[in-house]
Amino acid sequence: MTGQEDQWWRHAVIYQVYLRSFCDGNGDGHGDIAGLRARLDHVESLGVDAIWVNPWYESPLNDGGYDVADYRSIHPLFGDLGEATALIEESRRRGIRVIADLVPNHTSSEHAWFQAALASPEGSVERSRYHFRPGRGVDGERPPNDWQSVFGGPAWSRVADGDWYLHLYDVTQPDLNWSNQEVREEFLSILEYWLDLGVSGFRVDVAHGKGKHPDYPDVGGVADHLDPAWASGGHPTWDRPEVHEIVREWRGVVDGYPGAILVAEAWVASWDRLARYLRPGEYHQAFDFLFLQSPWDAESMRSRIDEAVEATMSVGATPTWALSNHDVVRHLTRYALPGDVDAGEWLLGGDRGLLDLRRGRRRARAAVLLTMGLPGSVYIYQGEELGLPEVHDLPPQDLEDPVWRRSGHTRKGRDGCRVPIPWTREGSSYGFGTGRSWLPQPPEWGRLSVEAQNTEEHSMLHLYRSAIDLRRRLLGADLTFAWLQTEADALSYRHGEIVSIVNFGSRPLDLPDGEVLLMSAPLEGGRLPVDGAAWIHAPGHVSQVE
Ligand code: NOJ
């Protein structure tokens, strides 16, 4: 394959599998690779091009597996290497690629390198793979600087001999030192290892991390690296120039495997900053978190779409859309809350009366047509095709996310979007496994199961399948995109042969002329209802070549 054909990711639909919560193949209450293999029919029925599997490596699971103890082995909870290669093979036979998750900013504190560092003296080669520093104050009793952990609290912890080590996340996630040559070589070898096993690339965790200012300066007043104050770079820990140099080095390996891609999870201050990750020779894709975070509002959605399309295309890349993932409040719940309510804060004990799940569901359905019609690639987070809401009332004793603990219970964390998904109407964990699931599922989830939705003509599941199918048949690799004139509180665009229209306003809208291909909700008196969306066929359009 050459050229466009080989650039499959530019218009792909990719399904995100949070393994632990997808399907439990051995009845221990935790999802695993065997469970995923058993449910590949479901993945295939969606019509997706690839799956991205969250970290499956050996790990104490202090941060859902983003604390890797051994990058070359599979956690026994999830299976083993044989299971992983069988998954890759079976998926390939169905035309589905597997993308692994690479975690290069930090290891687990149980990684052999960190254990060796702890057992070695200050200034040793073993410690130089991480960021060990002396503390401040007379006896070095204060952390080396004011850097804070993303999960809350200081980013430094002290070891027995008095040295401090850096962890921008949990204390069990020490940051690697990327100016160390051995670290760089090790990751080139890890990339090769998984590519040889057949994965089609990597979603790269914290792609904006890795680089650290060599002088470890205080960050000062504006610590939040997403603050516009940092929009031109210069933060001591995030979005630093080194990260670009590193990914260019990785491409030297990845490009040896046709079709393999690198996907950046990069939280940066602006679209201009993100586009830098997509320059030729860097990442193939970068998630658009600005779109993901947009409130349900025509103007905001439109400007974020514009920015993404413009910025990606300015560097020859394509946008990468997602509405949810394992780190954010599920979008159905976000859209069910009033626009001025921060969903993360609301989780902590906000007024439950504010939640209007019917509205959330209407909007989530419309969002399928808004997003799937756009040029570029779309990621689906497992369970969104079932219209799962965030589980906001998990009992505190069940919460596992380190965010909950490290923030001193001032942030609820991400467990509520990671609850195991329902497969059947009945059963102790609705077909997820044979017994209890590691996080409890709400009683009404049987109705949202794959089994229930398979037989419902207008289910969310069918909407996803239809949208993906139409998108594949009518849009292909076409990138022609233009906004169309419509009411102020609506959005309408044309992409290839599809005209998509979404009603964000408060009264029904007239539909444009043409054959209706798909609707998120039934028409009301011939008009598009509030929070509804439709796709109209616009044939005769001459596709432009990418
Ligand atoms: C981003 C991952 O998606 C998240 O789940 C994790 O906690 C952090 N990176 C740290 O690895």
Side-chain angles (χ1 to χ4, degrees), residues 16 18 52 54-55 63-67 101-106 150-151 168-170 173 203-208 265 267 289 325-327 401-403 414 418:
Q16 179 191 348
Y18 194 78
W52 148 35
N54 284 104
D63 180 21
Y66 285 95
D67 45 328
D101 204 321
L102 186 73
V103 190
N105 179 67
H106 42 265
V150 175
F151 291 161
L168 288 175
Y169 291 89
D170 190 45
Q173 291 167 296
R203 174 267 189 192
V204 178
D205 189 55
V206 198
H208 56 305
E265 186 233 9
W267 294 84
F289 294 126
N325 64 35
H326 64 293
D327 287 332
D401 187 351
V403 167
R414 301 159 294 179
R418 299 174 179 181

Side-chain angles (χ1 to χ4, degrees), residues 46 66 85 92 124 215 220 271 378 402 495 530:
L46 287 168
Y66 285 95
T85 42
R92 174 177 301 136
S124 57
D215 300 335
W271 244 108
V378 182
H495 174 199
V530 171

Side-chain angles (χ1 to χ4, degrees), residues 219-233:
V219 71
V222 188
D224 180 2
H225 75 283
L226 298 178
D227 191 284
W230 296 110
S232 51

